[in-house]
Amino acid sequence: MNFTEKDCFYMEYALTLAEKGKGFTSPNPMVGAVIVKNGRIIGEGYHKKYGDWHAEVNAFNNATEDVEGATMYVTLEPCSHTGKTPPCADKIIEKKIGRVVIAATDPNPLVSGRGIQKLQNAGIEVSVGLLADKSIQLNEVFMKYIVQKKPFVLYKSATTLDGKIATVTGKSQWISCEKSRNETHLLRHYMSGIMVGINTVIADNPMLNCRIEELTSPVRIVVDSLLRISPECKIVQTAKDYRTVVATLQDDDSIKANMLKQMGVEIVTVREFNGRVDLNALMDILGKMGIDSILIEGGGTLAFSCFQQGIVDKVIYYIAPKIFGGVSAKTSVEGDGFREISGCVTLKDISTRMIDNDICVTAYVDK
């Protein structure tokens, strides 16, 4: 389908609007909408937070003049079913929009193709596929979760140039620069959950919350096969303030498990995989709990288990211009390691950027 430069411009703008909802719309997608008439933008909107009006309705509400006959640019197929709000496709028909340009179709089985069909049946010209890749990447969490009902998993690590996450004496604060660390807190806001292993909890006693005002903190998930977590650690002590899940192989009705539950911790007993928590089974459980995305910030042991069991979708590495050395210094991925090169994790769609003197590498796991 042929699109004009103006079509691309308006859709790019709609995508920038959509991104404003990042971290607030889960488990719904981020969507932006722009209404154009006679070469002018007369209305715009985005989905601000879960349960609120969708982008199309906000664009109508913000319109400065009659929208009849106008073109609407929307980053995701308008919904055709009633959820928290009425169907957007019906509203578009009611407002007598002349043309709708859609970036990507909605993979949600309740929506996929039906919104488009409804618009076409009403005589509205519909064009689909403009900047679809950008829309899909923006909503990569939604695109996986709505189909598989499993969280989108992002692994993040801050390392030195020689791959270390701590010195030989265990010192790790701080490897990356302040701007990189601030991005980490934004990632905690964007993702529904944050997952670490028990060794990280024991060694660092972290809080794992988002420390930027007015932003939301993720559900804290600790993988703890033997239920070694201390009731005195910060995560347990604040479990009534921040939702906290401990995944274990142990009985969730033991004395310790009941004590932790009284302190606000949710205990999830998971089946075993090679003596550890089966992470694929855990993803199924967390998905059913409504957790659509997980940021992995654990140490090397958990990281290897995550890669070995194939749950990681995307990686972000913040690489600092430092060299620690030391054969015993911790690295980002440890565990047993892959024995053969042919069996290792390979990455694709790699991008890099500079954050002050740090190099940020983003890539997707080639599955």
Side-chain angles (χ1 to χ4, degrees):
M1 188 170 292
N2 294 323
F3 295 104
T4 67
E5 285 188 16
K6 287 186 177 181
D7 286 335
C8 292
F9 172 82
Y10 294 128
M11 188 61 79
E12 285 276 12
Y13 183 51
L15 286 165
T16 63
L17 292 174
E19 196 166 8
K20 290 183 177 183
K22 197 166 188 177
F24 297 103
T25 64
S26 173
N28 283 352
M30 291 171 275
V31 183
V34 176
I35 303 171
V36 177
K37 190 172 184 179
N38 298 324
R40 295 176 293 107
I41 294 176
I42 63 168
E44 61 183 64
Y46 67 97
H47 185 33
K48 294 183 178 180
K49 65 178 181 178
Y50 177 66
D52 266 12
W53 293 113
H54 289 183
E56 298 93 327
V57 175
N58 283 330
F60 287 133
N61 291 341
N62 293 329
T64 56
E65 60 183 82
D66 183 15
V67 301
E68 183 176 347
T71 296
M72 171 174 275
Y73 295 84
V74 60
T75 59
L76 195 67
E77 178 182 358
C79 61
S80 58
H81 68 291
T82 301
K84 290 276 185 182
T85 58
C88 291
D90 290 357
K91 179 64 72 172
I92 293 170
I93 294 168
E94 175 193 324
K95 292 290 187 178
K96 298 181 180 179
I97 290 290
R99 178 189 179 213
V100 178
V101 181
I102 300 168
T105 56
D106 191 329
N108 185 345
L110 292 172
V111 178
S112 188
R114 297 180 186 180
I116 294 170
Q117 190 64 54
K118 183 176 277 193
L119 296 174
Q120 290 174 329
N121 289 345
I124 297 173
E125 179 188 349
V126 180
S127 304
V128 184
L130 177 60
L131 304 182
D133 289 348
K134 289 188 176 183
S135 177
I136 291 168
Q137 186 173 32
L138 179 65
N139 281 303
E140 57 195 6
V141 167
F142 173 78
M143 294 291 178
K144 178 183 179 181
Y145 183 72
I146 200 66
V147 174
Q148 300 183 29
K149 294 295 185 272
K150 288 185 177 184
F152 182 91
V153 179
L154 169 63
Y155 171 73
K156 189 274 311 182
S157 185
T159 73
T160 60
L161 193 58
D162 58 336
K164 306 297 185 181
I165 60 172
T167 66
V168 291
T169 59
K171 300 287 180 16
S172 61
Q173 296 182 346
W174 298 104
I175 291 175
S176 57
C177 69
E178 185 177 359
K179 284 186 179 179
S180 293
R181 298 196 300 274
N182 286 341
E183 274 202 10
T184 293
H185 285 284
L186 284 175
L187 288 174
R188 291 181 181 183
H189 163 66
Y190 296 151
M191 310 297 276
S192 296
I194 181 170
M195 189 165 80
V196 299
I198 184 59
N199 291 334
T200 295
V201 175
I202 292 172
D204 299 340
N205 194 20
M207 273 288 289
L208 302 179
N209 61 327
C210 178
R211 294 173 202 148
I212 300 176
E213 281 188 34
E214 299 182 4
L215 298 187
T216 54
S217 288
V219 177
R220 302 177 302 182
I221 304 153
V222 180
V223 180
D224 183 7
S225 299
L226 302 178
L227 205 59
R228 292 187 290 149
I229 193 166
S230 169
E232 303 302 318
C233 74
K234 291 178 182 177
I235 285 179
V236 174
Q237 289 291 314
T238 57
K240 290 185 177 179
D241 299 318
Y242 303 99
R243 188 179 179 189
T244 303
V245 176
V246 173
T248 183
L249 301 178
Q250 308 306 304
D251 185 358
D252 67 355
D253 198 30
S254 66
I255 293 174
K256 185 170 185 181
N258 281 319
M259 178 178 63
L260 292 169
K261 285 190 278 188
Q262 288 176 4
M263 299 178 75
V265 176
E266 297 174 48
I267 304 294
V268 174
T269 300
V270 189
R271 72 185 181 215
E272 176 237 358
F273 176 85
N274 290 344
R276 300 181 184 276
V277 166
D278 186 319
L279 296 175
N280 277 291
L282 178 58
M283 293 304 107
D284 287 332
I285 293 168
L286 295 175
K288 289 174 183 175
M289 293 168 67
I291 298 172
D292 66 358
S293 53
I294 294 173
L295 174 65
I296 297 172
E297 277 199 17
T301 301
L302 177 65
F304 178 72
S305 293
C306 291
F307 285 115
Q308 181 187 40
Q309 295 184 46
I311 69 166
V312 181
D313 297 292
K314 183 178 181 180
V315 303
I316 295 181
Y317 268 83
Y318 297 94
I319 304 171
K322 300 171 184 175
I323 294 176
F324 285 176
V327 68
S328 62
K330 293 286 186 181
T331 59
S332 61
V333 182
E334 296 186 329
D336 295 331
F338 296 104
R339 294 181 178 276
E340 303 292 337
I341 294 176
S342 59
C344 75
V345 173
T346 55
L347 305 174
K348 64 179 182 178
D349 301 331
I350 300 163
S351 62
T352 60
R353 58 193 170 92
M354 298 297 299
I355 305 176
D356 284 347
N357 289 327
D358 290 352
I359 303 169
C360 180
V361 179
T362 302
Y364 292 83
V365 175
D366 189 351
K367 296 186 177 183

Short mmCIF file of all heavy atoms in Angstrom, two decimals, residues 128-152:
data_model
loop_
_atom_site.label_atom_id
_atom_site.label_comp_id
_atom_site.label_asym_id
_atom_site.label_seq_id
_atom_site.Cartn_x
_atom_site.Cartn_y
_atom_site.Cartn_z
N VAL A 128 -3.74 0.04 6.21
CA VAL A 128 -3.06 -0.66 7.31
C VAL A 128 -1.60 -0.92 6.98
O VAL A 128 -1.26 -1.23 5.83
CB VAL A 128 -3.77 -2.01 7.61
CG1 VAL A 128 -3.13 -2.69 8.82
CG2 VAL A 128 -5.25 -1.80 7.85
N GLY A 129 -0.73 -0.80 7.98
CA GLY A 129 0.66 -1.22 7.82
C GLY A 129 1.68 -0.11 7.83
O GLY A 129 2.88 -0.37 7.70
N LEU A 130 1.25 1.14 8.01
CA LEU A 130 2.20 2.26 8.01
C LEU A 130 3.00 2.28 9.32
O LEU A 130 2.43 2.41 10.40
CB LEU A 130 1.44 3.58 7.83
CG LEU A 130 2.29 4.86 7.87
CD1 LEU A 130 3.34 4.85 6.77
CD2 LEU A 130 1.40 6.09 7.77
N LEU A 131 4.31 2.11 9.22
CA LEU A 131 5.21 2.07 10.38
C LEU A 131 4.81 0.97 11.36
O LEU A 131 4.92 1.13 12.59
CB LEU A 131 5.27 3.43 11.08
CG LEU A 131 5.68 4.63 10.22
CD1 LEU A 131 5.75 5.90 11.07
CD2 LEU A 131 7.04 4.38 9.56
N ALA A 132 4.36 -0.14 10.82
CA ALA A 132 3.91 -1.26 11.66
C ALA A 132 5.02 -1.77 12.58
O ALA A 132 4.78 -2.08 13.74
CB ALA A 132 3.40 -2.40 10.78
N ASP A 133 6.26 -1.85 12.04
CA ASP A 133 7.37 -2.37 12.85
C ASP A 133 7.59 -1.53 14.10
O ASP A 133 7.85 -2.06 15.19
CB ASP A 133 8.66 -2.42 12.03
CG ASP A 133 8.62 -3.51 10.97
OD1 ASP A 133 7.70 -4.35 11.02
OD2 ASP A 133 9.50 -3.52 10.09
N LYS A 134 7.48 -0.21 13.95
CA LYS A 134 7.68 0.67 15.10
C LYS A 134 6.57 0.50 16.13
O LYS A 134 6.81 0.52 17.34
CB LYS A 134 7.76 2.13 14.64
CG LYS A 134 9.04 2.47 13.89
CD LYS A 134 9.15 3.97 13.65
CE LYS A 134 10.48 4.31 12.99
NZ LYS A 134 10.65 5.78 12.80
N SER A 135 5.35 0.34 15.65
CA SER A 135 4.23 0.14 16.55
C SER A 135 4.35 -1.18 17.30
O SER A 135 4.12 -1.26 18.51
CB SER A 135 2.91 0.16 15.78
OG SER A 135 1.82 -0.10 16.64
N ILE A 136 4.76 -2.23 16.59
CA ILE A 136 4.92 -3.54 17.21
C ILE A 136 6.02 -3.52 18.25
O ILE A 136 5.88 -4.07 19.35
CB ILE A 136 5.19 -4.61 16.13
CG1 ILE A 136 3.93 -4.83 15.28
CG2 ILE A 136 5.66 -5.92 16.75
CD1 ILE A 136 4.15 -5.64 14.03
N GLN A 137 7.15 -2.86 17.93
CA GLN A 137 8.25 -2.79 18.89
C GLN A 137 7.85 -1.97 20.11
O GLN A 137 8.20 -2.33 21.24
CB GLN A 137 9.49 -2.18 18.24
CG GLN A 137 10.71 -2.20 19.16
CD GLN A 137 11.98 -1.75 18.46
OE1 GLN A 137 11.95 -0.91 17.57
NE2 GLN A 137 13.10 -2.32 18.86
N LEU A 138 7.13 -0.90 19.91
CA LEU A 138 6.67 -0.08 21.03
C LEU A 138 5.83 -0.92 21.99
O LEU A 138 5.92 -0.77 23.21
CB LEU A 138 5.86 1.11 20.52
CG LEU A 138 5.29 2.05 21.57
CD1 LEU A 138 6.40 2.77 22.33
CD2 LEU A 138 4.34 3.06 20.93
N ASN A 139 5.02 -1.81 21.43
CA ASN A 139 4.12 -2.63 22.23
C ASN A 139 4.57 -4.10 22.30
O ASN A 139 3.74 -5.01 22.36
CB ASN A 139 2.70 -2.54 21.67
CG ASN A 139 2.01 -1.26 22.06
OD1 ASN A 139 1.87 -0.96 23.24
ND2 ASN A 139 1.57 -0.50 21.07
N GLU A 140 5.89 -4.31 22.35
CA GLU A 140 6.40 -5.68 22.35
C GLU A 140 5.91 -6.48 23.55
O GLU A 140 5.70 -7.70 23.47
CB GLU A 140 7.93 -5.68 22.29
CG GLU A 140 8.61 -4.92 23.40
CD GLU A 140 10.08 -4.63 23.12
OE1 GLU A 140 10.52 -4.93 22.00
OE2 GLU A 140 10.77 -4.12 24.02
N VAL A 141 5.72 -5.82 24.68
CA VAL A 141 5.20 -6.50 25.87
C VAL A 141 3.77 -6.99 25.59
O VAL A 141 3.45 -8.17 25.79
CB VAL A 141 5.21 -5.56 27.09
CG1 VAL A 141 4.39 -6.15 28.23
CG2 VAL A 141 6.64 -5.31 27.54
N PHE A 142 2.92 -6.09 25.14
CA PHE A 142 1.52 -6.42 24.85
C PHE A 142 1.43 -7.50 23.78
O PHE A 142 0.63 -8.44 23.89
CB PHE A 142 0.78 -5.17 24.41
CG PHE A 142 -0.62 -5.41 23.94
CD1 PHE A 142 -1.65 -5.62 24.84
CD2 PHE A 142 -0.92 -5.42 22.58
CE1 PHE A 142 -2.95 -5.84 24.40
CE2 PHE A 142 -2.22 -5.64 22.14
CZ PHE A 142 -3.23 -5.86 23.06
N MET A 143 2.25 -7.37 22.74
CA MET A 143 2.18 -8.28 21.60
C MET A 143 2.45 -9.73 22.03
O MET A 143 1.84 -10.66 21.50
CB MET A 143 3.18 -7.87 20.51
CG MET A 143 2.86 -6.54 19.85
SD MET A 143 1.39 -6.63 18.83
CE MET A 143 1.24 -4.94 18.24
N LYS A 144 3.34 -9.92 22.99
CA LYS A 144 3.61 -11.28 23.48
C LYS A 144 2.54 -11.73 24.47
O LYS A 144 1.99 -12.83 24.36
CB LYS A 144 4.99 -11.37 24.13
CG LYS A 144 5.27 -12.77 24.70
CD LYS A 144 6.61 -12.87 25.40
CE LYS A 144 6.82 -14.27 25.97
NZ LYS A 144 8.11 -14.41 26.68
N TYR A 145 2.26 -10.87 25.43
CA TYR A 145 1.40 -11.28 26.53
C TYR A 145 -0.03 -11.58 26.09
O TYR A 145 -0.65 -12.55 26.55
CB TYR A 145 1.38 -10.19 27.61
CG TYR A 145 0.56 -10.57 28.84
CD1 TYR A 145 1.02 -11.52 29.73
CD2 TYR A 145 -0.67 -9.97 29.07
CE1 TYR A 145 0.27 -11.87 30.85
CE2 TYR A 145 -1.43 -10.31 30.18
CZ TYR A 145 -0.96 -11.27 31.06
OH TYR A 145 -1.70 -11.62 32.16
N ILE A 146 -0.56 -10.79 25.17
CA ILE A 146 -1.96 -10.95 24.77
C ILE A 146 -2.16 -12.26 24.02
O ILE A 146 -3.27 -12.83 24.03
CB ILE A 146 -2.44 -9.75 23.91
CG1 ILE A 146 -3.97 -9.67 23.93
CG2 ILE A 146 -1.91 -9.83 22.50
CD1 ILE A 146 -4.57 -9.35 25.27
N VAL A 147 -1.10 -12.78 23.40
CA VAL A 147 -1.21 -14.03 22.63
C VAL A 147 -0.81 -15.23 23.48
O VAL A 147 -1.51 -16.25 23.53
CB VAL A 147 -0.34 -13.96 21.36
CG1 VAL A 147 -0.33 -15.30 20.64
CG2 VAL A 147 -0.84 -12.86 20.43
N GLN A 148 0.35 -15.13 24.18
CA GLN A 148 0.88 -16.28 24.91
C GLN A 148 0.49 -16.32 26.38
O GLN A 148 0.68 -17.34 27.04
CB GLN A 148 2.42 -16.29 24.80
CG GLN A 148 2.94 -16.40 23.38
CD GLN A 148 4.46 -16.48 23.34
OE1 GLN A 148 5.10 -16.97 24.26
NE2 GLN A 148 5.05 -15.99 22.26
N LYS A 149 0.00 -15.19 26.91
CA LYS A 149 -0.32 -15.08 28.33
C LYS A 149 0.90 -15.35 29.21
O LYS A 149 0.80 -15.82 30.34
CB LYS A 149 -1.47 -16.03 28.70
CG LYS A 149 -2.79 -15.67 28.05
CD LYS A 149 -3.29 -14.32 28.55
CE LYS A 149 -4.67 -13.99 28.00
NZ LYS A 149 -4.65 -13.30 26.73
N LYS A 150 2.07 -15.05 28.68
CA LYS A 150 3.33 -15.14 29.42
C LYS A 150 3.99 -13.77 29.41
O LYS A 150 3.87 -13.02 28.43
CB LYS A 150 4.28 -16.15 28.78
CG LYS A 150 3.88 -17.60 28.96
CD LYS A 150 4.96 -18.51 28.39
CE LYS A 150 4.63 -19.97 28.61
NZ LYS A 150 5.73 -20.85 28.13
N PRO A 151 4.72 -13.43 30.47
CA PRO A 151 5.39 -12.12 30.52
C PRO A 151 6.47 -11.99 29.46
O PRO A 151 7.16 -12.97 29.11
CB PRO A 151 6.00 -12.08 31.93
CG PRO A 151 5.34 -13.17 32.70
CD PRO A 151 4.94 -14.20 31.71
N PHE A 152 6.64 -10.78 28.97
CA PHE A 152 7.79 -10.41 28.15
C PHE A 152 8.96 -10.22 29.11
O PHE A 152 8.84 -9.50 30.10
CB PHE A 152 7.51 -9.13 27.38
CG PHE A 152 8.60 -8.68 26.46
CD1 PHE A 152 8.63 -9.09 25.15
CD2 PHE A 152 9.62 -7.84 26.91
CE1 PHE A 152 9.64 -8.67 24.28
CE2 PHE A 152 10.63 -7.43 26.07
CZ PHE A 152 10.64 -7.85 24.74
#
